[in-house]
Amino acid sequence: RFPDAFSPRLLRPDHVDSSAPPPSVVVQMPSFLSKEECLRIIEAGESVAATGQECEEYLNARVNNEVSSSGTSEEAKQLIDECKIEMSDDAGGGFRVRLGEDLIKDMLEERVSYVMGLEGSKFFFEEGAWERPTPRRIIIRDQTMVKYGLNDGVPPHVDGKDATLLIYLNDVPEGSGGRTVFPEDGLAVPPTEGTALLYKSKVELLHFSEPVEDPSAEKYILQLLIDYVHDYKKGDKVVDFKTGESYIYE
């Protein structure tokens, strides 16, 4: 279904501390979305942005509110120094908007459940940790479109969820910055329209968004933060407490 998908071999750089989590896998899927689908998401995000409804919180684990009015957090500063990243004092984290659940469900539910080997599972949107995945339910913790302009980037962090799906919604010219960099794993991915990255990032795969360096360039991404790991065993009864429905996990 996605014949061009691949997982590059990750080579750990010599400078990485031995205490870092072991290398993981970053699945790259070119043409995961079509040009028309990317434009549809951008238009939806821009419509939300036009109302001023910016999504200000960052739902990740190791660096929360990395870029704020007071600058970067202490952990972010340390990680920036360790990874030798140049981020100016006026760097921003991009403009973030939360997209509608219906759009994400309609466009991505079947595709994402397929590539994750969870065919038949449905999206359930909830930030709160009290809702947990089940054999038939994938929890979407966050669904944001981010628009990056000049100097915008995100310092090193992990997302703190079972998986992250990051989709580039436009091309960024070579040499203009904006790459997604995994510094502990020797990987830097340039933004290419329609390409998706799928990776685990609960504690592994530290990554950052390289600042956009070209005044004429913009970068758009869609990010889903996903929890899908559950504790059910074959033969367990699974109850949906919202609907009262139940089934046996087979």
Side-chain angles (χ1 to χ4, degrees):
R1 190 166 178 179
F2 297 99
D4 296 328
F6 64 100
S7 301
R9 185 182 175 206
L10 302 182
L11 300 175
R12 176 132 293 175
D14 293 337
H15 65 80
V16 175
D17 191 274
S18 59
S19 63
S24 190
V25 174
V26 179
V27 179
Q28 298 185 41
M29 296 173 281
S31 302
F32 188 75
L33 291 183
S34 67
K35 175 182 284 293
E36 292 73 24
E37 289 172 322
C38 290
L39 288 173
R40 182 183 171 194
I41 293 173
I42 290 174
E43 289 171 359
E46 291 285 17
S47 295
V48 177
T51 68
Q53 298 180 43
E54 182 174 10
C55 177
E56 296 182 350
E57 69 269 26
Y58 287 80
L59 298 183
N60 61 49
R62 279 174 58 179
V63 183
N64 192 40
N65 279 331
E66 302 94 334
V67 179
S68 65
S69 58
S70 61
T72 56
S73 69
E74 287 305 312
E75 184 178 10
K77 290 176 182 176
Q78 179 182 350
L79 289 167
I80 289 170
D81 182 62
E82 290 175 356
C83 298
K84 298 180 174 58
I85 310 164
E86 293 184 4
M87 300 193 79
S88 64
D89 292 337
D90 60 347
F95 193 91
R96 296 169 174 261
V97 295
R98 184 158 291 135
L99 297 178
E101 296 174 5
D102 289 343
L103 172 64
I104 299 302
K105 190 177 181 70
D106 175 63
M107 188 176 293
L108 293 175
E109 182 178 72
E110 182 181 349
R111 240 173 287 197
V112 171
S113 62
Y114 172 81
V115 300
M116 295 182 69
L118 302 171
E119 291 93 335
S121 294
K122 303 298 183 183
F123 280 1
F124 186 89
F125 298 84
E126 177 55 63
E127 295 176 35
W130 56 84
E131 291 288 355
R132 300 301 304 157
T134 73
R136 297 181 184 176
R137 188 167 74 173
I138 299 170
I139 306 292
I140 305 300
R141 301 296 187 188
D142 188 39
Q143 67 281 357
T144 51
M145 187 198 80
V146 189
K147 177 182 180 180
Y148 297 93
L150 180 64
N151 294 326
D152 285 344
V154 178
H157 63 282
V158 297
D159 295 323
K161 301 296 177 282
D162 293 333
T164 297
L165 180 73
L166 187 154
I167 307 174
Y168 300 112
L169 302 176
N170 71 313
D171 294 326
V172 175
E174 185 177 356
S176 298
R179 298 180 303 170
T180 304
V181 182
F182 300 84
E184 294 177 341
D185 300 277
L187 179 65
V189 183
T192 302
E193 182 184 71
T195 292
L197 308 183
L198 180 64
Y199 52 91
K200 295 181 179 180
S201 190
K202 186 172 284 288
V203 296
E204 61 272 72
L205 283 171
L206 180 77
H207 58 284
F208 65 88
S209 176
E210 200 176 49
V212 174
E213 299 170 354
D214 185 343
S216 65
E218 292 179 327
K219 171 188 169 186
Y220 288 88
I221 67 157
L222 170 64
Q223 175 181 269
L224 300 188
L225 300 184
I226 302 168
D227 278 335
Y228 68 95
V229 177
H230 60 79
D231 297 322
Y232 292 96
K233 300 179 178 60
K234 300 290 186 180
D236 283 353
K237 182 178 182 180
V238 183
V239 179
D240 186 328
F241 292 100
K242 286 188 177 295
T243 66
E245 298 177 349
S246 63
Y247 60 91
I248 301 299
Y249 178 33
E250 299 177 347

